[in-house]
Amino acid sequence: MNSFLDLAFSLITSPRKAMVVITNSEKLKEGFFFWIFVVLLMAISAFREGPGLILQFALLFLGMSTALLCHSAAIDYISGMWGGMGTAKGITAGFMAASLPLGFSVFFMLIGASGVNEISSAGTFILSLWAFYLDVLAISENYRFSTAKAFAVAVMPYALLVLAFVLLAVLAVLTAAAGISSLESMEGMENVLSQL
């Protein structure tokens, strides 16, 4: 338990050292405890009347675990293509530990519920940036990349996702334009047939 608290404290005070230990030693157990703590805090903070705390926790657990594993797999694949030397276990442990700042967002949700939305939004944004910074450090330390290369790898899945949505939107517009032009040609054919 003492090493767990030491890792949690070092994620705040010296995050690079903590990520070296977590990713290179593949500390999945410690990372899982950080992550499950964050999921539990988020489920409690999002609890409202309705399906119940256990169902909300289960749904949040399933959604966040799916996102975590997909994110870890995408980063591991991209890093492998760019010559990274790390492991999938190491990056998963790093990403789990990097979620620790998101647990503090509970306090900002409570502030937002009291009516001070500006502080809530700013605090949540800062915590999200901190979690992203820890993600970049996890990539950097696990795959032995420079910080700039780790940042590029961290942004790549999001850029690819945006590119996929843009391509789907272009495809939808082209399909709609083709449909409209085929309707116009059908109207022309109807005019020819009505003249006969």
Side-chain angles (χ1 to χ4, degrees):
M1 186 67 172
N2 213 7
S3 67
F4 177 75
L5 293 175
D6 288 343
L7 276 177
F9 184 71
S10 65
L11 276 171
I12 297 168
T13 58
S14 56
R16 186 169 293 276
K17 285 182 186 177
M19 282 301 170
V20 167
V21 170
I22 291 168
T23 58
N24 293 337
S25 302
E26 297 177 351
K27 294 197 173 278
L28 279 173
K29 184 174 70 171
E30 287 85 350
F32 180 76
F33 284 129
F34 288 134
W35 183 77
I36 202 73
F37 177 70
V38 170
V39 171
L40 182 63
L41 282 177
M42 292 177 90
I44 290 171
S45 70
F47 180 66
R48 303 276 188 262
E49 291 182 27
L53 181 63
I54 294 174
L55 182 61
Q56 283 183 327
F57 175 76
L59 291 174
L60 196 60
F61 179 84
L62 286 174
M64 287 183 69
S65 62
T66 303
L68 172 74
L69 293 177
C70 289
H71 184 62
S72 295
I75 293 294
D76 189 53
Y77 183 74
I78 292 168
S79 297
M81 286 178 31
W82 285 19
M85 306 279 226
T87 63
K89 281 183 179 179
I91 198 62
T92 304
F95 285 160
M96 284 179 176
S99 69
L100 183 64
L102 298 177
F104 295 111
S105 67
V106 171
F107 301 115
F108 292 107
M109 288 180 186
L110 291 173
I111 291 172
S114 68
V116 189
N117 291 329
E118 293 79 18
I119 294 174
S120 174
S121 299
T124 303
F125 179 72
I126 290 169
L127 290 176
S128 298
L129 286 179
W130 183 20
F132 181 75
Y133 172 70
L134 290 177
D135 279 354
V136 171
L137 284 181
I139 294 167
S140 174
E141 296 305 326
N142 188 54
Y143 296 107
R144 289 140 186 96
F145 286 158
S146 67
T147 305
K149 192 173 185 179
F151 177 78
V153 169
V155 170
M156 187 69 63
Y158 302 113
L160 291 174
L161 195 60
V162 168
L163 180 65
F165 280 124
V166 167
L167 289 176
L168 284 174
V170 167
L171 183 64
V173 168
L174 290 176
T175 303
I180 291 171
S181 69
S182 70
L183 284 176
E184 289 175 355
S185 66
M186 293 286 283
E187 288 176 6
M189 289 181 66
E190 286 176 6
N191 287 338
V192 170
L193 290 175
S194 66
Q195 289 177 0
L196 293 176

